[in-house]
Amino acid sequence: MSRESYGKHTFRYVRDPESRGKVKVYVERGVNSRTQHIYKGKNGSPPYICIKPEHKPSSLSGARKLAHTWSRKHGG
């Protein structure tokens, strides 16, 4: 879908293959071993923001809002 730098993080927004109609937020830059609320990526993908299924964003604007809030809470 798209990619964005915000603060010290770089995010990639993609359609979530596990939740139809939802957007997954990968964190491509700015994660370290102390970063919280992150799932490790699988098969070489970057880590992604941990969010309960019922709160996953369904739009790009919702995903960006989630990413920006997460970034501010994690030193972004």
Side-chain angles (χ1 to χ4, degrees):
M1 290 178 72
S2 73
R3 193 174 192 186
E4 169 189 45
S5 290
Y6 182 85
K8 68 177 186 177
H9 299 101
T10 299
F11 299 102
R12 181 170 26 123
Y13 307 104
V14 300
R15 288 185 174 82
D16 191 336
E18 299 161 0
S19 300
R20 188 174 182 172
K22 302 296 182 174
V23 180
K24 188 177 233 179
V25 181
Y26 288 100
V27 185
E28 295 185 329
R29 182 179 60 87
V31 174
N32 62 44
S33 62
R34 293 173 288 152
T35 304
Q36 298 178 353
H37 304 289
I38 277 289
Y39 286 126
K40 291 184 180 185
K42 299 174 186 173
N43 300 322
S45 69
Y48 56 96
I49 295 177
C50 169
I51 185 87
K52 291 181 180 180
E54 63 268 21
H55 297 293
K56 287 182 179 182
S58 57
S59 67
L60 179 57
S61 62
R64 290 182 74 216
K65 182 177 179 180
L66 168 70
H68 295 183
T69 300
W70 180 91
S71 180
R72 287 191 297 273
K73 289 181 179 180
H74 294 90

